[in-house]
Structures are given as structure tokens and as C-alpha cells.
Amino acid sequence: MTDIGEATSPSVVPLTENDPDQAPPKDKGLWRDLVAYWILGLCNNYGYVVMLTAAHDILKELEGGDGHAKSASPLDGYDVAKTTARADDVTFGYEARPCNKLSTGAILLADILPALAVKSIASFLPLAKHVRIFLCVAAAAAGFLLTAFATVEWVLFVGVIATSFSSGLGEATFLAYATYFNKNVISTWSSGTGGAGIAGSLSYTGLTGLGLTPKTTILIMLVVPGLEAAAFWLLLRHKDTDKPADISEQEAGSEKPEEIDYNTLPEDERPLENWNQRLRYIPSLFIFMIPLILVYLLEYYINQGLFELVYFPGIWLSQSAQYRWYQVIYQIGVFISRSSVNLIQFRQVWIMAVFQFLNVVYFTFEAVYYFTPSIWIIFVLILWEGLLGGGGYVNTFYRIQTDVPAARREYAMMVTSISDSVGIALAGIAAIPSHNAICDLPVPDRLL
């Protein structure tokens, strides 16, 4: 049986009759697919978001936090509820600026490189989709357990890596499988991944703010892999992947009484029948991939290289809390834009990359000079940053679903899914040296 990632070479596929006097029958079970894909998007990205939101706490514990001996579990002894607005974390590894010796970009790399690696080879893996999803669920659960119970640094990072592996394999598999469903599952999937940003960052921030330790908080989150399994195996209506995705089935979900020989189609619309054809087809996807890479490179450079350095002392939020709320507000922006594609579409994703570059300039100057008078201005800019990032993601994959020929859409989805990971990985690499360079600058007046 041909499954996700396997080549398909049928000579014919069924198509719907184009009869203007006869509307296609309504698919009464469509809601199951749409809801399932929303839940799958939420669960797939949830652990990834939690790891980034917890990055500041993880690094603080790895460096000894308040200077006392570490507890048995790195995440068990950090009592978020006891932090103060100023005294708890003005300095970590540096004496001047409020910096960790190791940028949260290091956590970002551990959280994205495995995802990038597995996405890059996903189309070559001859694994059935059910096996892939089992690996996703198992790796997500293992990631939470390892992160919560780690007593040494390498175990902690293995937990982050397991979570990343789950997210990367899941995204490549679910996006490719989505080509067999109604095109609107891309919208619900994207909305779900945006919802993961809010649910992940807000649940971690909220639970730790209530006094739960990061360890207990992460263990509670083990319910998420179970929800992912239920959505995939119990709610989603599974499709026959022996045949390539078909436009009429995605739009109507109806039976197709007529067949067409693919040899009658233009050459650039025929199925990719071997790996040589698939590799040669990749450059044609750069129109989707390059703008998305740039958007994610710029936004994650801000998130993991600069967020930690944007600090307002003496207010009602500690530095750790400010970092967490930056992540929450960013994810709110992502959720809004990822849920908006049925209302508004943008074909020119590169424009979002230009605006994101302007954000990089602003946040870099803020991290160096601390000139913004109020944290509320930063909140608004972070929301805008999230809107751009989420908009770049959903509009890219929506364009693939509508513009790429049906016979090539599954492969295009899988290949393009590496774009955000490439951008994020490059951002993590760039964030570490720039973060440390800013940390070595003289202390700004606002912190004196």
C-alpha cells in the first residue's frame, strides 16, 4: 500500500463530472476532518511551544539560578511564584545586563534541528502513516517525561530533542496527508497550530504563575499526546492513499464517476513518478519556500535572540515573567493570523518578510539602548510580529493547496514544510553570538 512519502504512479485517477446543473452532494461528515485537523495542529505544536516558553526557566536552572545548589530535578526547584519584579533575575551570567550566559537560542536549536532533520528525509521514509503518528505520540510523551525528570543537562536536551522530532515528523506527515481531504483542513490545521502557541505558552505561564513548579506543569501536559492519538485514530476519517489527491474530492467529498488519463494532461501537471523527477521539481517550490524561510528566520531571531534582552525593571513583572508574556502575546498574534485565511489571503508572502525585517531593526535597538518608554508598546509590536509570522505560514500552504497541481501537491506540501524549520534553525545560529555580543555591552541607564 502506498502511503505518505511513497511514490505514486497511477495511469488514471477519478474526476468529478463538471455538470453545472447538478451540484455535488454535501459531505455531512466533513466536520470530523476539520475538527480533527484543528486538534492535530494544536497537539503537534504544543510541546514545541512549551519548550520555548520554558527556555528561560530551563537555562536559569542549568546555570544555577539563584546561586544555590541545584535540586534533584533541574525543573523542580524553581519556584516561579516567589520571584520579584527586580531582585530575582537582574543578572544571570553577566554582571551588567540581565542575560543568560547561554542564549535561549540554544534551546531553540535543540527544539528545531531534529524537526528540520526529520522533515528533510520524511519524503524518503517508507513508513505507513499510522506508524509515523505512533512515533510522533511516543516521542512527544517521552519529551515531556525526560524534560521533567532530568537531573543532568544532556537528558534535559534529549527531552527537548524528542519533542522536536515529534513535531517535525508530525507536521510533514499531516500536511502531506491533508492533500487527500477538503482544502479547508489546511485552514483548521493552521488555526490549530496557532492555537498551540496560545495554549502552550499560556498554560505554562499560567500554571507556573499559580505556584506549580515547572516539573509538575510539564507532567500535567502529558495529556496532550493522548489527545493527539484520539484525534487521529478515532475522529479523523482516513483516506485511501493508493491514489493521488484529487481536487474534486477535496472540494466536494463526492464519488467520481469519470476517469481521465494523466497522459492527456500537460507534463508539469503529471505525477512525479521517480526520485529524479522529485528532486528536479524542488526548485519550482522555491517561490513558496524562500519567503517563508525569511519570515521565520527574522521572527525567531527576535524571539530567541532579543526577547530575553528586552527588559523593564521595577514593574509588576519580573524578567522571567516578562519573557513568558512576550511569548504568550506573540502566540496570540500567530493564532489570529493562522486562523484568518478563509477571510483574507495574501499571495505575496515576501512583503511579510520585509515588515519582519523592520521589526528586527527595532528590537535590536531596543535590546541595546532600552529606549522604549513602556512595555505596552513592546506588547503591541510583538503582537504585530506574530501576525506576520502566522500569516506567512498559512498563506504559503494555502497557496500550495490551491495552486499546485493535484498530482504533485502531497510532495510539495512535504518539501515546503521544511521551510519554517530552516528559517528557525538559522535564527538560532544567528541568535547566540548576537545575544552574547549585546550582553557584553555597557549597562544601559534604565537598568542602573
Side-chain angles (χ1 to χ4, degrees), residues 64-87:
D66 56 7
H68 295 90
K70 296 180 183 178
S71 58
S73 171
L75 290 182
D76 201 20
Y78 181 57
D79 189 349
V80 179
K82 294 181 180 178
T83 59
T84 62
R86 168 79 185 193

PDB file of all heavy atoms in Angstrom, residues 64-87:
ATOM      1  N   GLY A  64      22.369  27.427  37.524  1.00  0.00           N
ATOM      2  CA  GLY A  64      22.379  27.523  38.980  1.00  0.00           C
ATOM      3  C   GLY A  64      21.396  28.505  39.534  1.00  0.00           C
ATOM      4  O   GLY A  64      21.244  28.635  40.742  1.00  0.00           O
ATOM      5  N   GLY A  65      20.702  29.268  38.644  1.00  0.00           N
ATOM      6  CA  GLY A  65      19.644  30.160  39.090  1.00  0.00           C
ATOM      7  C   GLY A  65      20.106  31.157  40.114  1.00  0.00           C
ATOM      8  O   GLY A  65      20.834  32.091  39.845  1.00  0.00           O
ATOM      9  N   ASP A  66      19.695  30.974  41.351  1.00  0.00           N
ATOM     10  CA  ASP A  66      19.981  31.939  42.404  1.00  0.00           C
ATOM     11  C   ASP A  66      21.315  31.694  43.075  1.00  0.00           C
ATOM     12  O   ASP A  66      21.632  32.266  44.093  1.00  0.00           O
ATOM     13  CB  ASP A  66      18.857  31.924  43.447  1.00  0.00           C
ATOM     14  CG  ASP A  66      18.646  30.527  44.031  1.00  0.00           C
ATOM     15  OD1 ASP A  66      19.464  29.630  43.722  1.00  0.00           O
ATOM     16  OD2 ASP A  66      17.681  30.331  44.790  1.00  0.00           O
ATOM     17  N   GLY A  67      22.113  30.779  42.504  1.00  0.00           N
ATOM     18  CA  GLY A  67      23.433  30.528  43.059  1.00  0.00           C
ATOM     19  C   GLY A  67      23.479  29.394  44.053  1.00  0.00           C
ATOM     20  O   GLY A  67      24.539  28.999  44.515  1.00  0.00           O
ATOM     21  N   HIS A  68      22.339  28.806  44.397  1.00  0.00           N
ATOM     22  CA  HIS A  68      22.306  27.691  45.318  1.00  0.00           C
ATOM     23  C   HIS A  68      22.447  26.381  44.552  1.00  0.00           C
ATOM     24  O   HIS A  68      22.369  26.330  43.327  1.00  0.00           O
ATOM     25  CB  HIS A  68      20.988  27.691  46.108  1.00  0.00           C
ATOM     26  CG  HIS A  68      20.861  28.889  47.003  1.00  0.00           C
ATOM     27  ND1 HIS A  68      20.285  30.055  46.571  1.00  0.00           N
ATOM     28  CD2 HIS A  68      21.241  29.101  48.287  1.00  0.00           C
ATOM     29  CE1 HIS A  68      20.286  30.961  47.554  1.00  0.00           C
ATOM     30  NE2 HIS A  68      20.872  30.388  48.602  1.00  0.00           N
ATOM     31  N   ALA A  69      22.638  25.320  45.285  1.00  0.00           N
ATOM     32  CA  ALA A  69      22.784  24.022  44.641  1.00  0.00           C
ATOM     33  C   ALA A  69      21.499  23.656  43.917  1.00  0.00           C
ATOM     34  O   ALA A  69      20.401  23.979  44.345  1.00  0.00           O
ATOM     35  CB  ALA A  69      23.112  22.949  45.688  1.00  0.00           C
ATOM     36  N   LYS A  70      21.653  22.934  42.831  1.00  0.00           N
ATOM     37  CA  LYS A  70      20.501  22.527  42.057  1.00  0.00           C
ATOM     38  C   LYS A  70      19.725  21.453  42.802  1.00  0.00           C
ATOM     39  O   LYS A  70      20.288  20.643  43.527  1.00  0.00           O
ATOM     40  CB  LYS A  70      20.934  21.974  40.684  1.00  0.00           C
ATOM     41  CG  LYS A  70      21.617  23.004  39.799  1.00  0.00           C
ATOM     42  CD  LYS A  70      22.006  22.370  38.502  1.00  0.00           C
ATOM     43  CE  LYS A  70      22.773  23.356  37.618  1.00  0.00           C
ATOM     44  NZ  LYS A  70      23.207  22.754  36.367  1.00  0.00           N
ATOM     45  N   SER A  71      18.433  21.415  42.583  1.00  0.00           N
ATOM     46  CA  SER A  71      17.612  20.375  43.172  1.00  0.00           C
ATOM     47  C   SER A  71      17.780  19.090  42.378  1.00  0.00           C
ATOM     48  O   SER A  71      18.429  19.047  41.340  1.00  0.00           O
ATOM     49  CB  SER A  71      16.152  20.812  43.158  1.00  0.00           C
ATOM     50  OG  SER A  71      15.754  21.091  41.835  1.00  0.00           O
ATOM     51  N   ALA A  72      17.139  18.019  42.841  1.00  0.00           N
ATOM     52  CA  ALA A  72      17.286  16.729  42.178  1.00  0.00           C
ATOM     53  C   ALA A  72      16.852  16.801  40.728  1.00  0.00           C
ATOM     54  O   ALA A  72      17.429  16.164  39.866  1.00  0.00           O
ATOM     55  CB  ALA A  72      16.461  15.662  42.904  1.00  0.00           C
ATOM     56  N   SER A  73      15.826  17.549  40.450  1.00  0.00           N
ATOM     57  CA  SER A  73      15.408  17.777  39.074  1.00  0.00           C
ATOM     58  C   SER A  73      15.615  19.246  38.735  1.00  0.00           C
ATOM     59  O   SER A  73      15.207  20.116  39.494  1.00  0.00           O
ATOM     60  CB  SER A  73      13.928  17.407  38.885  1.00  0.00           C
ATOM     61  OG  SER A  73      13.488  17.827  37.619  1.00  0.00           O
ATOM     62  N   PRO A  74      16.241  19.558  37.604  1.00  0.00           N
ATOM     63  CA  PRO A  74      16.501  20.950  37.266  1.00  0.00           C
ATOM     64  C   PRO A  74      15.246  21.805  37.230  1.00  0.00           C
ATOM     65  O   PRO A  74      15.307  22.998  37.443  1.00  0.00           O
ATOM     66  CB  PRO A  74      17.135  20.839  35.858  1.00  0.00           C
ATOM     67  CG  PRO A  74      17.719  19.484  35.812  1.00  0.00           C
ATOM     68  CD  PRO A  74      16.823  18.623  36.644  1.00  0.00           C
ATOM     69  N   LEU A  75      14.101  21.198  36.930  1.00  0.00           N
ATOM     70  CA  LEU A  75      12.892  21.991  36.821  1.00  0.00           C
ATOM     71  C   LEU A  75      12.049  21.938  38.090  1.00  0.00           C
ATOM     72  O   LEU A  75      10.962  22.482  38.136  1.00  0.00           O
ATOM     73  CB  LEU A  75      12.045  21.497  35.645  1.00  0.00           C
ATOM     74  CG  LEU A  75      12.632  21.778  34.274  1.00  0.00           C
ATOM     75  CD1 LEU A  75      11.690  21.279  33.197  1.00  0.00           C
ATOM     76  CD2 LEU A  75      12.913  23.248  34.088  1.00  0.00           C
ATOM     77  N   ASP A  76      12.542  21.270  39.138  1.00  0.00           N
ATOM     78  CA  ASP A  76      11.710  21.069  40.308  1.00  0.00           C
ATOM     79  C   ASP A  76      11.876  22.149  41.349  1.00  0.00           C
ATOM     80  O   ASP A  76      10.982  22.398  42.141  1.00  0.00           O
ATOM     81  CB  ASP A  76      12.042  19.698  40.928  1.00  0.00           C
ATOM     82  CG  ASP A  76      10.906  19.197  41.793  1.00  0.00           C
ATOM     83  OD1 ASP A  76       9.785  19.693  41.606  1.00  0.00           O
ATOM     84  OD2 ASP A  76      11.151  18.332  42.636  1.00  0.00           O
ATOM     85  N   GLY A  77      13.031  22.810  41.375  1.00  0.00           N
ATOM     86  CA  GLY A  77      13.297  23.712  42.476  1.00  0.00           C
ATOM     87  C   GLY A  77      13.064  25.176  42.185  1.00  0.00           C
ATOM     88  O   GLY A  77      13.242  26.013  43.052  1.00  0.00           O
ATOM     89  N   TYR A  78      12.645  25.480  40.973  1.00  0.00           N
ATOM     90  CA  TYR A  78      12.490  26.886  40.612  1.00  0.00           C
ATOM     91  C   TYR A  78      11.061  27.312  40.880  1.00  0.00           C
ATOM     92  O   TYR A  78      10.134  26.971  40.160  1.00  0.00           O
ATOM     93  CB  TYR A  78      12.831  27.076  39.128  1.00  0.00           C
ATOM     94  CG  TYR A  78      12.717  28.500  38.656  1.00  0.00           C
ATOM     95  CD1 TYR A  78      13.443  29.523  39.280  1.00  0.00           C
ATOM     96  CD2 TYR A  78      11.898  28.830  37.587  1.00  0.00           C
ATOM     97  CE1 TYR A  78      13.343  30.824  38.835  1.00  0.00           C
ATOM     98  CE2 TYR A  78      11.797  30.136  37.143  1.00  0.00           C
ATOM     99  CZ  TYR A  78      12.524  31.123  37.769  1.00  0.00           C
ATOM    100  OH  TYR A  78      12.425  32.406  37.330  1.00  0.00           O
ATOM    101  N   ASP A  79      10.856  28.058  41.930  1.00  0.00           N
ATOM    102  CA  ASP A  79       9.517  28.465  42.329  1.00  0.00           C
ATOM    103  C   ASP A  79       9.184  29.795  41.684  1.00  0.00           C
ATOM    104  O   ASP A  79       9.583  30.856  42.150  1.00  0.00           O
ATOM    105  CB  ASP A  79       9.450  28.576  43.859  1.00  0.00           C
ATOM    106  CG  ASP A  79       8.019  28.773  44.336  1.00  0.00           C
ATOM    107  OD1 ASP A  79       7.143  29.028  43.482  1.00  0.00           O
ATOM    108  OD2 ASP A  79       7.788  28.662  45.549  1.00  0.00           O
ATOM    109  N   VAL A  80       8.443  29.727  40.567  1.00  0.00           N
ATOM    110  CA  VAL A  80       8.140  30.933  39.814  1.00  0.00           C
ATOM    111  C   VAL A  80       7.318  31.904  40.648  1.00  0.00           C
ATOM    112  O   VAL A  80       7.440  33.121  40.534  1.00  0.00           O
ATOM    113  CB  VAL A  80       7.383  30.561  38.518  1.00  0.00           C
ATOM    114  CG1 VAL A  80       7.040  31.801  37.719  1.00  0.00           C
ATOM    115  CG2 VAL A  80       8.229  29.615  37.682  1.00  0.00           C
ATOM    116  N   ALA A  81       6.462  31.393  41.510  1.00  0.00           N
ATOM    117  CA  ALA A  81       5.562  32.265  42.262  1.00  0.00           C
ATOM    118  C   ALA A  81       6.305  33.168  43.233  1.00  0.00           C
ATOM    119  O   ALA A  81       5.778  34.176  43.687  1.00  0.00           O
ATOM    120  CB  ALA A  81       4.548  31.416  43.027  1.00  0.00           C
ATOM    121  N   LYS A  82       7.551  32.821  43.584  1.00  0.00           N
ATOM    122  CA  LYS A  82       8.292  33.596  44.573  1.00  0.00           C
ATOM    123  C   LYS A  82       9.186  34.661  43.956  1.00  0.00           C
ATOM    124  O   LYS A  82       9.915  35.336  44.657  1.00  0.00           O
ATOM    125  CB  LYS A  82       9.142  32.654  45.434  1.00  0.00           C
ATOM    126  CG  LYS A  82       8.293  31.712  46.299  1.00  0.00           C
ATOM    127  CD  LYS A  82       9.186  30.811  47.149  1.00  0.00           C
ATOM    128  CE  LYS A  82       8.358  29.862  48.013  1.00  0.00           C
ATOM    129  NZ  LYS A  82       9.207  28.961  48.813  1.00  0.00           N
ATOM    130  N   THR A  83       9.147  34.801  42.622  1.00  0.00           N
ATOM    131  CA  THR A  83      10.012  35.798  42.007  1.00  0.00           C
ATOM    132  C   THR A  83       9.492  37.197  42.293  1.00  0.00           C
ATOM    133  O   THR A  83       8.322  37.416  42.536  1.00  0.00           O
ATOM    134  CB  THR A  83      10.087  35.580  40.488  1.00  0.00           C
ATOM    135  OG1 THR A  83       8.765  35.677  39.958  1.00  0.00           O
ATOM    136  CG2 THR A  83      10.697  34.245  40.151  1.00  0.00           C
ATOM    137  N   THR A  84      10.395  38.159  42.232  1.00  0.00           N
ATOM    138  CA  THR A  84      10.029  39.552  42.447  1.00  0.00           C
ATOM    139  C   THR A  84      10.236  40.327  41.172  1.00  0.00           C
ATOM    140  O   THR A  84      10.766  39.823  40.197  1.00  0.00           O
ATOM    141  CB  THR A  84      10.886  40.174  43.564  1.00  0.00           C
ATOM    142  OG1 THR A  84      12.256  40.141  43.145  1.00  0.00           O
ATOM    143  CG2 THR A  84      10.725  39.412  44.860  1.00  0.00           C
ATOM    144  N   ALA A  85       9.850  41.584  41.214  1.00  0.00           N
ATOM    145  CA  ALA A  85       9.907  42.385  39.995  1.00  0.00           C
ATOM    146  C   ALA A  85      11.316  42.754  39.611  1.00  0.00           C
ATOM    147  O   ALA A  85      11.606  43.007  38.474  1.00  0.00           O
ATOM    148  CB  ALA A  85       9.073  43.655  40.175  1.00  0.00           C
ATOM    149  N   ARG A  86      12.241  42.769  40.546  1.00  0.00           N
ATOM    150  CA  ARG A  86      13.563  43.274  40.215  1.00  0.00           C
ATOM    151  C   ARG A  86      14.681  42.358  40.694  1.00  0.00           C
ATOM    152  O   ARG A  86      15.588  42.034  39.947  1.00  0.00           O
ATOM    153  CB  ARG A  86      13.730  44.668  40.847  1.00  0.00           C
ATOM    154  CG  ARG A  86      15.151  45.219  40.833  1.00  0.00           C
ATOM    155  CD  ARG A  86      15.544  45.794  39.483  1.00  0.00           C
ATOM    156  NE  ARG A  86      16.935  46.204  39.463  1.00  0.00           N
ATOM    157  CZ  ARG A  86      17.476  46.935  38.532  1.00  0.00           C
ATOM    158  NH1 ARG A  86      16.752  47.350  37.533  1.00  0.00           N
ATOM    159  NH2 ARG A  86      18.748  47.263  38.567  1.00  0.00           N
ATOM    160  N   ALA A  87      14.619  41.900  41.933  1.00  0.00           N
ATOM    161  CA  ALA A  87      15.795  41.302  42.542  1.00  0.00           C
ATOM    162  C   ALA A  87      16.053  39.876  42.101  1.00  0.00           C
ATOM    163  O   ALA A  87      17.144  39.368  42.270  1.00  0.00           O
ATOM    164  CB  ALA A  87      15.651  41.327  44.074  1.00  0.00           C
TER     165      ALA A  87
END
